[in-house]
Amino acid sequence: MLRNKFAATISLALAALLALSGCAGSNSSSAGSAPPAANPAADSFSETPGSAAEDGPLTPFPETVTVRVNKEFNPDIWYPEGESICDNVMTRFYEDQLNIRYKLVQEIERGQYEAKLNLSIASNDLPDIFYANASQIYRMYTAGQIQDQTDAYEKYASEKVRGELEVNDRMYLAPAMFEGRIYGIPCPEDFSLSVPQVWVRQDWLDDLGITDFDPKTNEDIYELARTFMDKGKARFGILLDNGVGNTFSCLNTTLRGLAHSEGQPINIFYDDGTGNLVWSDIQPEMKDLLKEMQALYREGMFDTEFAVKDYSKAQEDLAAGYVGVYINPFTVRGPFAKNKQNQPEAEWTAFPIPAQADGSYHVSAESTCFRWLVVNAGFEFPEAAIKGQNLWHELWQGNHAEYFHGLNEGEYSQAGEDFKLYPPFWFDPPMKNLRQGEVFPDAWHNRDRDSIASPETRKQYDRSIRYFEKGESDLYTGWTNIHLFDMAFPILKKVYGAPDNILFEAYTGPTTDVIANKRPLADQNRLEWIIKFIVGNADVDAEFDTYVSEWLAVGGQDVLTEANEWYKNK
Amino acid sequence: MHGIAKRLKLRSTYQLHLIVLPALIVLVLFCYIPMFGIVIAFQDFMPTKGFIGSPFIGLERFRYLFTLPNFRNVVVNSLVIAVLKIAFTQLTAVIMALLISELRAEWFRKSAQSIALFPYFLPWVVLGGISIDIFSVRGAANSIVQLFTSEPIFFLGDPGWYRVFLVSTDVWKNYGYTMVIVFAALTAIDPALYESAMMDGANRFKQVLHITVPGILPTLMLLLVLALGGILNAGFDQVFVTYNPLVYSSGDIIDTMVYRLGFEQGQYSLATAAGIFKSIVGFILITTSNWMAQKFLGYRVI
C-alpha cells in the first residue's frame, strides 16, 4: 500500500510536469507502448492519468464501478483466512488500481460452467462481465444479450494485450467478431496445445543402452516402441485413446504426429491453395495413414482396447508405466508427474516428430481459444472488461509481475499454480511459453538465474532448482518444468520454427447455428470411422469413400459450405 | 336430502381432504404447470423473449429431428435395448423369485433377496466404472470366456456384444427390485390353494404352473404396462458412462443424442421436441397395452 501511494504521488507529480511542458497531448496508445521499466514509479508514470483527458488502459474509474460476475468454484484452491473467491488480495488490488469492485452473483459448481451459463442465457439472467464459448456468443449476439466492445477495445486495450491477442491475422478475435465488430475479448491458452512432440522414456533408453535414438521417419518411432515391448519394458508400443474426454485427445495428436511426414494436416480446415477451405480428415491422403495405423493396431502397437479408453483412462496406463512412447504436445505435467510417483526412476525426453520429405515442418494446429470475455448488453461500463484484462496482463507478465509472482512464491505459495485464478478473469498469452523456452534452457544449464528477465520464468526456475537441488518434492512443476521449457518449447521454436511454420486452423469464423448444430454430428461420424479403420472393422480401400460421403451427409457438407462462404467474404 | 348427506359426509371427512391438499398443490405446481413449457418445442425459442414472446414455427423442430441422419438408428437402438431390458429383467425376476421362494432356509432366502436388491441402489456412475473393468479384454468376464475359446470377446467395442453387455448388466442391477414386487405378489396367494392342489396330487411344478403363475400374473401385467410407458428410456446414465465411438452404431440412444444436441449446445426447443416425441410414444404404448391387458386377460391396470 505504502509503495503504491508513493508511486502514485511521484507519478502524479511527473505527469503534472509533463502537462506543464506541453507533452500531455499524447494519446493512450503511446502510454501503452512505453517500454516496460523495472522501476514501478516510472512505469505508472506513463499509465496513470494526469488529467481526465488522458483516459488510458489502466486509468481507474472516477467512481467505483461494481461488476456483477459469476465464478466457477474450485474447492481445491487454497485461500488464506479471511479471503475468498471474490474477495482476496487480487480483487482488492483490482479495486485499488482500477476502482472496480467485483460482486459474485453466481457461484458455479466445478465443471458445470458451460451448462450453467446455457441456463443463464435461456433465462436471460446474466452477470455483467463473464466468459462464454463461441456458440454461446453467437446465440447471445443474435438475441441481443451482449454488447459491442469494439470502441472500448480500440480505445483501452494496452499495446501489450494487443500484441498477445492480435497474432496471426486476429485469429483469436475473429470467432467473436460479427460484421467487423468485436463482441468478445479472447482468453486464449498456449498456441501449441495440439502440436505434438515424441515423448520417450529416457530411463528405458538408458537401460537398453540406446544412445542414437533420433526419429527421422515414423518407422524409427515404431522400431523403438517394438524394442520397448520386446525387452519387456512396455505393455504396448504407443499410447492411444478414443478421442473422447479432452479437446486435444491423444488420438488426434498421435495422428497429427504420424501424419506430418506425409504432409497431411489433421482435424483442421485449411486452404487447399485455390482459395477454398477443405477439411483435412476426408482427403484421400488420409488413406495411407489409416492403413498404417490399422497395420500397427494388428501387430499390437496400440492397446487392443484403446477404443474403450477415453483421455483420462488412457493417461492411467501412462501413469502405470505400461507405455514408453507418447506422441503428445507439451501438456504433460499431470501424466508425467503421476508416472514419476508410481515409478520414481521414470524420466522422459522429447524428440521432434519426423520432418516432411524436404526436411521442413508445417505442423497443423487447432485453435486454442475456447472462451471470450463478454459484456452484458445492459452494462454501463463495457471498458471494465478490457481494463481488467490489461491489469491481468501487467500482473502476469508485465509491470506488476514482480508483485504477483512474489506473492505467489511468498505468502501465497500454498495456492501454487492456482494463484492465477485469484483475479476475476485471466488468460494465458499464447506465445508466452515459447518465449520462456527461449530463455530457460541456457539459464538452467548455466545456473544463471540473473539472465532471466521475466518474473514468471524466474519463478519456474526457482521451483526447478528447489526440486533438483534442494530435494523439494514438487513433481508437478519443479520436475516437469524441464520437460516444458528445456525440451518442448525449444523444439517448437528451433525445429518446428513456431509460430511462423505452424499451419493454424483456417476457419476462425463465428460458430453459427449451422456449425454449432452440424459440426458435432460430423465430428462424431469422423471419430467413429477413424476408430473403425484403425481397429480393422472397416477396410480402408473399400470403405473410405463411404466414410467421406457419410461425413458430408451428416452435416460435414453444411459446415464446409458455411465455412467457405465465410472464407470468401473474409 | 341428498345435498345434506353430502355436506355431512364432507364435514366428517374434511380432515382427510386437508391432508391430501399439500400433495395436490405440489403435484400441480411441479408436474402440471411446467407442462406449459412444452410450447417451446413449437417455437423458435429465444431466451430473451421467453415463451410468451418467442415466435411459433409449428412442427419445424420435429421435422428437423426426424430428418437428422442418425435419428432412425437411434430410435431403433432405444427400442431394441429397452425391449430386451424389460423382457430379461422380468423373466429373471420371476424365475429368481420362484426359485428363491422354494428355498427352505429362511435366513438364506432373506439374504439372497437382499443381495439381489443391493445393486439397484448403486448409481451407474459407480457401476459403470466397475463393469467396464469386469468386461474389459483383461477383465474377469473374459477370463471365463477364455476357458472356452482362445479369443477374448471385445464386449465394450463390438457393436453386437455391447448390447449384450448393456442388457446383462442392467438386468443384474435391476431385477432385484422387480423380484421384491413379485415376492409380495407371491405372499398374497391363498395357501389353501396349494393345500388343495397337493390333495389333488399336483406336484411342485404343476403347482407353480397352475397356482403361482396365474396368481402373480396381474402384478406382472402391471409391471409390464408401466415398463412399456418408458419403452424409449433405454437408460441414459448406463449408456452415457460406458459407450465409445466403436459402438455408437448399436448403443447410441435417443437420450444420449438429446443430451449432446440439447444440453451441450443449449438447443432447448429441439430437446423439448425429442422429449415430447418420447412421451407420445410412451403414452400410446401404455394405453394400448392397458387396453390389451383388459381385453385379453380381463385385467384392468389403470
Side-chain angles (χ1 to χ4, degrees):
Chain A
M1 271 309 291
L2 195 71
R3 205 188 63 167
N4 283 333
K5 261 188 191 154
F6 173 70
T9 320
I10 294 226
S11 54
L12 263 174
L14 284 171
L17 202 69
L18 263 183
L20 280 176
S21 64
C23 299
S26 62
N27 57 23
S28 57
S29 72
S30 80
S33 63
N39 178 344
D43 61 69
S44 40
F45 148 68
S46 56
E47 279 157 357
T48 313
S51 63
E54 242 189 315
D55 189 7
L58 291 166
T59 313
F61 286 94
E63 307 269 314
T64 303
V65 170
T66 305
V67 178
R68 296 179 309 126
V69 295
N70 57 6
K71 281 210 97 170
E72 197 169 338
F73 179 69
N74 180 346
D76 296 341
I77 300 181
W78 174 87
Y79 292 101
E81 196 67 29
E83 294 193 11
S84 68
I85 186 163
C86 219
D87 176 26
N88 56 52
V89 61
M90 279 297 127
T91 57
R92 286 170 207 160
F93 185 74
Y94 276 59
E95 188 171 343
D96 205 41
Q97 294 281 317
L98 296 174
N99 213 0
I100 301 176
R101 187 174 294 152
Y102 295 92
K103 187 173 164 226
L104 186 66
V105 291
Q106 192 189 15
E107 201 168 295
I108 298 172
E109 197 185 324
R110 181 160 51 159
Q112 297 291 308
Y113 187 83
E114 295 201 350
K116 286 287 153 65
L117 184 62
N118 280 339
L119 288 180
S120 298
I121 294 172
S123 55
N124 199 22
D125 180 18
L126 295 164
D128 293 330
I129 298 179
F130 53 100
Y131 295 126
N133 69 27
S135 69
Q136 288 167 336
I137 288 178
Y138 183 78
R139 263 186 288 138
M140 289 189 287
Y141 161 72
T142 41
Q145 288 169 298
I146 51 173
Q147 62 175 293
D148 183 350
Q149 296 187 60
T150 320
D151 297 338
Y153 181 86
E154 298 298 349
K155 183 163 179 208
Y156 293 103
S158 71
E159 286 303 316
K160 291 179 208 163
V161 167
R162 281 166 179 262
E164 306 284 11
L165 298 183
E166 294 182 13
V167 292
N168 201 21
D169 199 16
R170 288 191 158 194
M171 69 171 179
Y172 294 114
L173 280 157
M177 286 178 73
F178 306 103
E179 290 168 10
R181 310 292 289 176
I182 299 166
Y183 281 82
I185 300 166
C187 300
E189 291 173 41
D190 191 283
F191 79 100
S192 67
L193 281 175
S194 71
V195 182
Q197 287 100 29
V198 183
W199 295 92
V200 168
R201 276 291 287 264
Q202 180 66 43
D203 54 320
W204 292 355
L205 287 179
D206 295 344
D207 282 356
L208 301 172
I210 303 171
T211 50
D212 58 344
F213 179 67
D214 182 20
K216 294 278 175 257
T217 62
N218 288 354
E219 194 51 44
D220 293 343
I221 302 174
Y222 308 149
E223 209 39 62
L224 181 76
R226 284 184 200 115
T227 314
F228 282 165
M229 283 193 287
D230 295 344
K231 303 282 182 194
K233 294 281 185 196
R235 194 182 270 188
F236 38 84
I238 300 173
L239 191 73
L240 210 58
D241 63 18
N242 66 7
V244 178
N246 191 300
T247 325
F248 302 116
S249 64
C250 190
L251 179 72
N252 278 346
T253 47
T254 307
L255 284 172
R256 180 168 289 132
L258 297 177
H260 179 259
S261 55
E262 294 299 323
Q264 173 63 23
I266 294 289
N267 206 24
I268 60 164
F269 285 97
Y270 64 96
D271 191 323
D272 65 354
T274 63
N276 276 321
L277 285 186
V278 293
W279 172 247
S280 58
D281 290 27
I282 54 168
Q283 301 310 310
E285 288 79 20
M286 280 294 284
K287 282 196 207 172
D288 290 335
L289 176 70
L290 291 171
K291 276 189 227 164
E292 197 172 314
M293 296 289 282
Q294 198 177 77
L296 293 173
Y297 179 80
R298 202 167 290 144
E299 81 165 82
M301 184 64 79
F302 310 119
D303 182 5
T304 342
E305 275 190 299
F306 80 89
V308 176
K309 294 183 173 169
D310 64 10
Y311 178 80
S312 49
K313 264 277 182 202
Q315 301 300 325
E316 285 172 22
D317 289 339
L318 180 96
Y322 292 160
V323 68
V325 180
Y326 180 40
I327 303 177
N328 199 70
F330 75 97
T331 55
V332 291
R333 282 196 199 271
F336 281 8
K338 280 191 193 126
N339 180 224
K340 183 96 173 162
Q341 233 158 31
N342 293 335
Q343 298 180 311
E345 73 279 10
E347 292 296 339
W348 291 85
T349 308
F351 296 90
I353 55 174
Q356 290 180 358
D358 58 358
S360 66
Y361 280 89
H362 299 282
V363 194
S364 52
E366 295 164 46
S367 170
T368 56
C369 189
F370 311 104
R371 52 188 193 177
W372 287 259
L373 208 52
V374 295
V375 180
N376 194 329
F379 187 57
E380 218 182 316
F381 306 99
E383 65 271 28
I386 186 65
K387 281 189 175 182
Q389 293 302 73
N390 289 338
L391 185 59
W392 159 251
H393 191 269
E394 294 298 338
L395 280 166
W396 186 229
Q397 299 296 319
N399 297 334
H400 297 300
E402 292 284 2
Y403 169 65
F404 181 85
H405 295 289
L407 277 181
N408 194 187
E409 286 290 86
E411 290 168 63
Y412 290 84
S413 61
Q414 222 176 314
E417 287 292 283
D418 293 334
F419 192 54
K420 67 183 175 215
L421 300 174
Y422 273 51
F425 304 102
W426 74 282
F427 68 93
D428 210 14
M431 307 294 166
K432 175 210 74 182
N433 289 331
L434 198 63
R435 292 196 293 268
Q436 297 204 64
E438 286 174 48
V439 180
F440 189 90
D442 285 342
W444 174 250
H445 293 291
N446 303 330
R447 293 291 186 270
D448 181 10
R449 187 179 187 274
D450 296 337
S451 68
I452 304 173
S454 149
E456 195 209 349
T457 316
R458 228 178 289 149
K459 176 176 84 179
Q460 302 297 6
Y461 174 93
D462 290 343
R463 286 177 177 174
S464 291
I465 289 286
R466 287 206 298 273
Y467 174 79
F468 283 98
E469 291 181 1
K470 310 218 167 99
E472 197 178 277
S473 61
D474 174 23
L475 283 179
Y476 183 77
T477 46
W479 180 56
T480 56
N481 274 339
I482 304 305
H483 302 111
L484 268 57
F485 304 123
D486 195 28
M487 295 175 187
F489 284 98
I491 288 178
L492 276 162
K493 182 79 192 175
K494 287 182 199 142
V495 186
Y496 298 177
D500 303 334
N501 282 356
I502 300 291
L503 184 62
F504 284 108
E505 162 74 61
Y507 181 72
T508 54
T511 303
T512 60
D513 285 342
V514 172
I515 292 180
N517 297 343
K518 301 287 172 91
R519 180 79 196 261
L521 296 174
D523 280 349
Q524 184 186 327
N525 187 266
R526 162 193 177 265
L527 196 61
E528 207 176 328
W529 273 102
I530 284 188
I531 290 182
K532 267 203 258 183
F533 285 131
I534 298 176
V535 301
N537 285 2
D539 183 75
V540 179
D541 280 324
E543 292 179 78
F544 190 79
D545 294 340
T546 324
Y547 152 55
V548 174
S549 56
E550 217 178 81
W551 186 87
L552 291 169
V554 299
Q557 186 59 59
D558 297 332
V559 175
L560 264 177
T561 313
E562 186 101 347
N564 268 304
E565 210 167 286
W566 168 86
Y567 194 63
K568 298 226 162 60
N569 298 325
K570 197 175 134 185
Chain B
M1 187 60 206
H2 188 69
I4 294 169
K6 208 174 178 185
R7 217 176 300 149
L8 276 176
K9 201 176 169 205
L10 194 65
R11 187 175 294 168
S12 59
T13 58
Y14 77 98
Q15 292 101 328
L16 296 177
H17 285 93
L18 275 182
I19 291 174
V20 177
L21 196 63
L24 275 179
I25 292 174
V26 168
L27 191 72
V28 170
L29 214 58
F30 292 107
C31 293
Y32 285 89
I33 291 178
M35 275 194 209
F36 292 110
I38 65 175
V39 296
I40 70 173
F42 306 97
Q43 290 178 331
D44 182 13
F45 182 62
M46 276 190 231
T48 36
K49 294 183 181 153
F51 50 65
I52 296 162
S54 294
F56 277 87
I57 50 165
L59 295 173
E60 185 52 41
R61 297 291 174 199
F62 290 92
R63 212 165 290 138
Y64 179 72
L65 190 67
F66 295 141
T67 52
L68 279 175
N70 49 356
F71 187 70
R72 178 196 293 265
N73 182 28
V74 160
V75 171
V76 170
N77 284 344
S78 308
L79 275 174
V80 170
I81 293 171
V83 167
L84 288 175
K85 278 181 178 174
I86 293 170
F88 280 99
T89 308
Q90 301 254 338
L91 204 64
T92 317
V94 171
I95 292 173
M96 289 301 285
L98 291 177
L99 290 176
I100 293 178
S101 69
E102 294 293 316
L103 291 170
R104 277 163 200 277
E106 178 147 3
W107 64 269
F108 188 76
R109 205 159 64 210
K110 288 263 191 261
S111 49
Q113 204 176 323
S114 306
I115 290 169
L117 188 58
F118 175 67
Y120 178 80
F121 297 103
L122 291 176
W124 270 117
V125 180
V126 176
L127 284 181
I130 298 174
S131 52
I132 286 176
D133 270 348
I134 293 176
F135 286 91
S136 75
V137 168
R138 291 191 187 83
N142 262 310
S143 11
I144 299 171
V145 168
Q146 276 166 324
L147 295 177
F148 305 102
T149 59
S150 57
E151 273 296 295
I153 296 176
F154 202 1
F155 285 103
L156 293 153
D158 182 278
W161 282 108
Y162 183 64
R163 282 187 185 163
V164 175
F165 162 79
L166 283 181
V167 173
S168 57
T169 50
D170 187 76
V171 167
W172 171 74
K173 174 167 151 61
N174 289 329
Y175 84 92
Y177 184 75
T178 315
M179 197 175 82
V180 169
I181 298 173
V182 176
F183 268 130
L186 282 177
T187 52
I189 297 172
D190 187 357
L193 289 173
Y194 291 105
E195 283 163 28
S196 35
M198 253 189 298
M199 297 235 223
D200 291 342
N203 62 17
R204 274 287 202 211
F205 184 69
K206 289 279 180 195
Q207 284 176 32
V208 167
L209 205 62
H210 296 291
I211 300 169
T212 317
V213 171
I216 60 171
L217 202 58
T219 312
L220 284 183
M221 287 312 297
L222 172 71
L223 287 173
L224 199 63
V225 170
L226 290 181
L228 282 175
I231 190 131
L232 289 180
N233 290 329
F236 169 75
D237 19 5
Q238 184 194 15
V239 175
F240 189 68
V241 296
T242 56
Y243 76 163
N244 62 67
L246 268 185
V247 293
Y248 281 160
S249 58
S250 71
D252 200 11
I253 56 174
I254 298 179
D255 295 308
T256 45
M257 190 185 78
V258 167
Y259 176 82
R260 288 196 308 269
L261 285 180
F263 295 92
E264 285 182 355
Q265 298 156 41
Q267 300 183 54
Y268 299 100
S269 295
L270 194 61
T272 313
I276 292 176
F277 170 74
K278 271 178 61 180
S279 306
I280 290 173
V281 173
F283 179 74
I284 292 171
L285 280 170
I286 217 170
T287 26
T288 47
S289 56
N290 184 41
W291 176 79
M292 276 162 64
Q294 197 181 348
K295 187 163 166 82
F296 298 115
L297 299 165
Y299 179 72
R300 202 180 150 83
V301 178
I302 310 167

